[in-house]
Amino acid sequence: MWVRSTMAYRASFVMTTIGNFAACGLDFGAILLMFSHIDALGGFSLAEIALLYGASSCSLGLADLTLGSMDRIGQRVRDGTFDTLLVRPVPVLAQVAADRFALRRLGRIGQGALILGWGAAHVDVAWTLPAALFTVVMVVSGAAIFASLFIAGAAFQFWATEAAEVQNSFTYGGSTLLQYPPTVFATELVRGVTFVVPLAFVNWMPALRLLGRENPLGLPGWVDFCGPFVALLMLTGAGLLWRAGLRSYRSTGS
């Protein structure tokens, strides 16, 4: 229904998608401005950072396209409209994900894919079939990790209805963090996004393997391949948290 309503005004859809593409591109514009004065950032070249940026943007874009409406849970809980989702013969999570589905978010994915492709073409990597497949797995696993954060953030809104910005700090804020190399951040922060909220497995860990870089925490090499397992673990935890939040929901009262 939402896709049909969007395509009813195709010129508007094209303009909003292009606007989304351009707005997302401002982040990389800031990186280009920095590289007009420097040759490397944290020991990483522009092409290497483009690879990090593109992978992070594509992963967030895929998760945002499918689950970007999850931050509406708090509003639905407050105004009582969440009750209508409970009486329909469709999983509540699917309904929330489809609510106000916005195709304009394809702009973020397209912009990220463009930067990722440019970075991949200019980094010093021998692009064999395994390396290309590893890059695809990195993007898909990263999308699953971001998706788990969207679901967990939505579940948290059952208890704290004004928590949408907390969710955004880990999703959109996390993506911004991952656009830069880990070498520019304090070791404590890198540890935090590796062992506490494992965002490092979105792109840092696998990209270090692709680029032949040393792990800043001195972790063994097999850790670089753990993205899919971390994504599965996080999705399982987010699913359990969602079910707990759904069971605790008692409507808005009067």
Side-chain angles (χ1 to χ4, degrees), residues 195-215:
F195 300 110
V196 181
V197 182
L199 289 171
F201 292 92
V202 171
N203 65 344
W204 278 356
M205 296 301 177
L208 291 175
R209 166 67 59 171
L210 275 175
L211 299 173
R213 296 274 184 168
E214 293 291 330
N215 189 297

Side-chain angles (χ1 to χ4, degrees), residues 22-243:
C24 294
L26 291 176
D27 289 338
F28 194 69
I31 294 174
L32 290 176
L33 284 175
M34 283 191 288
F35 271 88
S36 66
H37 299 284
I38 59 176
D39 295 323
L41 181 62
F44 283 65
S45 67
L46 176 61
E48 290 173 326
I49 291 181
L51 186 72
L52 293 175
Y53 176 97
S56 174
S57 293
C58 285
S59 294
L60 178 63
L62 290 170
D64 192 31
L65 178 67
T66 54
L67 295 168
S69 299
M70 300 296 284
D71 58 358
R72 297 178 181 275
I73 288 288
Q75 178 62 39
R76 283 189 171 276
V77 169
R78 288 194 300 273
D79 61 23
T81 57
F82 188 79
D83 291 7
T84 62
L85 306 182
L86 299 175
V87 298
R88 295 172 181 165
V90 179
V92 177
L93 184 60
Q95 294 183 66
V96 175
D99 185 29
R100 297 187 180 276
F101 184 80
L103 275 179
R104 68 178 183 277
R105 292 170 178 152
L106 288 171
R108 180 187 294 274
I109 300 173
Q111 187 264 346
L114 184 64
I115 301 300
L116 177 61
W118 182 87
H122 289 82
V123 293
D124 186 17
V125 174
W127 286 108
T128 60
L129 180 60
L133 291 176
F134 185 68
T135 304
V136 173
V137 171
M138 171 176 65
V139 172
V140 174
S141 298
I145 291 173
F146 278 126
S148 69
L149 294 176
F150 275 113
I151 296 171
F156 184 61
Q157 292 179 63
F158 285 114
W159 294 286
T161 56
E162 297 290 346
E165 292 307 318
V166 176
Q167 170 188 308
N168 292 341
S169 67
F170 287 100
T171 51
Y172 301 107
S175 176
T176 301
L177 173 77
L178 297 173
Q179 291 168 3
Y180 296 90
T183 49
V184 304
F185 299 105
T187 303
E188 291 75 13
L189 178 61
V190 178
R191 286 198 185 100
V193 296
T194 302
F195 300 110
V196 181
V197 182
L199 289 171
F201 292 92
V202 171
N203 65 344
W204 278 356
M205 296 301 177
L208 291 175
R209 166 67 59 171
L210 275 175
L211 299 173
R213 296 274 184 168
E214 293 291 330
N215 189 297
L217 300 179
L219 298 176
W222 56 264
V223 173
D224 301 336
F225 299 95
C226 289
F229 303 102
V230 171
L232 180 60
L233 184 63
M234 291 186 67
L235 283 173
T236 301
L240 293 174
L241 185 62
W242 171 261
R243 293 185 65 181

